Amino acid sequence: MANSKYLFLQISCFVLLLSLSPSYAHNKSHKSTPPPAGFQARVDFKGCFNKVYAFGDSNTDTGNAYYLGALKSFISNLFSQAWSPYSSSESSNLSGYRLSNGRLVIDFLCEALHIPHLSAYKDSSANFSSGVNFAIAGSTALSNNLFTHFNFGNPLMWKQNPKSILTQLDWFDSFVGERECKGKDEDACKLELGKALFWIGEMGGNDYARTSQNGALHIRERMNVMALLDKGAKFLVVQGLPPIGCLPLQLTTCPSNDRDQNGCSASANLVIKGHNDLLQKRLEEIQIHYKDSMILYIDYYNAFKTILEKHQQYHFEEPFKACCGAKEGPFNYLPNLLCGAFGTSTCKDSNTHINFDGVHLTENMHLHLFDLFFNQGFCKPSFADLIKKKKGQY
């Protein structure tokens, strides 16, 4: 997500961190591996959870960035029009504002649970009886004070200084105190929150986009998960990072000789794989201390990679090119001519594209990822095991 010099600095910092870590050899043995070929385990989600609390970035946000005014003006204006390339899926009646052409993984999860799509916390007219979406597009794992101090910019669609996961946790605390647990004592509140599903969507990608970060991200993620567990959360699903080196955003800026066997940026994906390995190790450590809870890790990286490598089997004709973009170059993407701006265009059939606007994915890609996460073994432990745990059978 950064230029090549930026990215090589990322790699140097990250590899140095790993090499100095006494647990590096142990981490290497925890690398993600795809599930067995032909793995099938359909899960009956209905009635499992009546409430979901979601956190994350643009891959989970259903409107908070829009309500905060954090999107560039032409994106916000598109959302206000009768038709927009964003959230324009003909297959669903969506409310809110998404940085995709339709539903996200969190939307498909809610449909599988037979509960309404989650409304953004900042939507003043929303009904939160089935949960709340606290995710903010462009959100970072590290505090926004860091970005203010060092003046790290962002050429995309968000304000100069981003909101962080700390903002989302503050919103959650306010919601719990003012609505969810109002009038309840601490034990009753924890009991109530213990019935809900907590979705911790992708976090950290925006930090790598803005800075050359290192292990501080993992410290922050660990603190965030533990903060929710201490509040009473018992069932958490934590998403790893996708291979950002496979996005047009990265492929447009990195050198042509920086490619892996799939045509993605090898250097960018090296950073992400290291991040995910450490994240899994941290989650395993947390799980040991919270035995009454269950933490699931979503192997976003290998799920995405599986679809990319077999994209024709998934009926994707364009594994890299953006559906909505600049009409120029091999990836239909230019950072100064984003989807929706004057001079851009949208493909006729988004179902044939993995990527929607150079940064975010299409609804069809989100649908296939949901299936791999929850039905095809890319969630560890499995969601079926989590359901058993909730029913007292695990």
Side-chain angles (χ1 to χ4, degrees):
M1 286 185 175
N3 61 41
S4 57
K5 291 182 180 178
Y6 221 42
L7 207 40
F8 287 124
L9 180 59
Q10 285 182 352
I11 295 167
S12 299
C13 291
F14 207 95
V15 171
L16 177 61
L17 167 75
L18 292 175
S19 64
L20 294 176
S21 171
S23 60
Y24 177 44
H26 180 65
N27 289 339
K28 291 174 66 175
S29 68
H30 283 75
K31 287 187 176 181
S32 303
T33 54
F39 180 90
Q40 296 285 334
R42 297 288 169 180
V43 179
D44 183 8
F45 292 73
K46 187 175 182 180
C48 301
F49 293 93
N50 296 319
K51 197 165 290 186
V52 176
Y53 296 113
F55 304 81
D57 64 4
S58 56
N59 287 317
T60 301
D61 186 2
T62 55
N64 285 313
Y66 170 80
Y67 290 115
L68 290 171
L71 302 176
K72 280 189 175 178
S73 58
F74 69 88
I75 298 291
S76 296
N77 290 338
L78 282 174
F79 280 143
S80 302
Q81 297 173 8
W83 184 88
S84 163
Y86 290 97
S87 298
S88 62
S89 170
E90 297 178 358
S91 62
S92 58
N93 182 23
L94 287 175
S95 60
Y97 305 92
R98 293 158 176 78
L99 288 168
S100 175
N101 64 306
R103 290 166 290 182
L104 311 174
V105 170
I106 189 65
D107 295 310
F108 290 113
L109 175 58
C110 288
E111 291 176 8
L113 293 171
H114 290 254
I115 63 174
H117 296 145
L118 299 181
S119 295
Y121 173 73
K122 299 302 286 186
D123 181 356
S124 58
S125 64
N127 180 343
F128 297 130
S129 59
S130 297
V132 189
N133 193 332
F134 299 101
I136 310 171
S139 188
T140 58
L142 295 174
S143 169
N144 60 353
N145 291 335
L146 179 144
F147 300 97
T148 302
H149 180 75
F150 290 103
N151 195 30
F152 291 127
N154 190 306
L156 297 173
M157 55 190 62
W158 305 289
K159 286 184 176 179
Q160 181 79 2
N161 297 315
K163 296 293 183 182
S164 76
I165 186 65
L166 297 179
T167 297
Q168 299 180 38
L169 292 174
D170 287 342
W171 286 355
F172 173 72
D173 287 343
S174 296
F175 179 82
V176 169
E178 297 169 6
R179 299 189 58 168
E180 189 62 40
C181 290
K182 188 175 182 179
K184 296 184 175 73
D185 61 26
E186 183 178 353
D187 290 340
C189 182
K190 285 187 174 182
L191 183 63
E192 187 66 27
L193 295 177
K195 300 175 184 177
L197 178 66
F198 285 75
W199 169 270
I200 315 298
E202 177 188 338
M203 287 300 303
N206 292 306
D207 298 80
Y208 288 117
R210 291 173 178 264
T211 68
S212 54
Q213 285 308 321
N214 53 33
L217 288 184
H218 305 288
I219 296 172
R220 176 63 67 192
E221 287 175 320
R222 179 175 181 173
M223 290 171 62
N224 297 334
V225 169
M226 291 175 68
L228 294 174
L229 289 165
D230 288 337
K231 284 284 185 178
K234 286 188 175 295
F235 306 101
L236 290 85
V237 180
V238 181
Q239 203 175 43
L241 291 180
I244 61 174
C246 300
L247 301 180
L249 169 66
Q250 178 60 38
L251 292 170
T252 301
T253 57
C254 72
S256 59
N257 61 352
D258 177 25
R259 294 289 188 271
D260 62 17
Q261 69 274 17
N262 295 315
C264 303
S265 168
S267 59
N269 285 347
L270 176 63
V271 173
I272 299 305
K273 284 191 284 189
H275 173 104
N276 288 338
D277 289 343
L278 282 175
L279 174 58
Q280 289 179 80
K281 182 66 169 63
R282 298 294 177 262
L283 294 178
E284 291 171 5
E285 292 171 354
I286 295 171
Q287 182 69 82
I288 292 172
H289 297 286
Y290 292 85
K291 298 185 184 300
D292 291 337
S293 299
M294 193 165 190
I295 305 170
L296 273 57
Y297 171 76
I298 287 184
D299 189 358
Y300 196 168
Y301 187 98
N302 277 308
F304 190 113
K305 183 180 173 183
T306 294
I307 296 173
L308 180 66
E309 292 176 345
K310 301 176 181 179
H311 64 269
Q312 292 181 331
Q313 295 181 30
Y314 288 91
H315 305 291
F316 286 117
E317 298 174 7
E318 296 288 354
F320 296 113
K321 185 180 291 186
C323 168
C324 181
K327 298 187 294 186
E328 295 183 27
F331 307 111
N332 192 31
Y333 173 80
L334 291 175
N336 60 346
L337 199 60
L338 299 174
C339 173
F342 181 78
T344 61
S345 64
T346 305
C347 64
K348 293 182 179 179
D349 185 5
S350 64
N351 288 329
T352 63
H353 288 63
I354 285 177
N355 197 279
F356 179 63
D357 62 2
V359 185
H360 307 99
L361 307 178
T362 60
E363 178 185 67
N364 196 32
M365 182 60 170
H366 282 292
L367 173 60
H368 286 300
L369 286 171
F370 166 79
D371 183 52
L372 264 63
F373 293 165
F374 293 101
N375 294 311
Q376 305 295 334
F378 287 86
C379 193
K380 304 172 184 179
S382 71
F383 199 75
D385 287 337
L386 182 141
I387 293 171
K388 291 178 181 177
K389 172 81 171 180
K390 190 169 187 291
K391 293 180 178 179
Q393 302 172 356
Y394 187 79

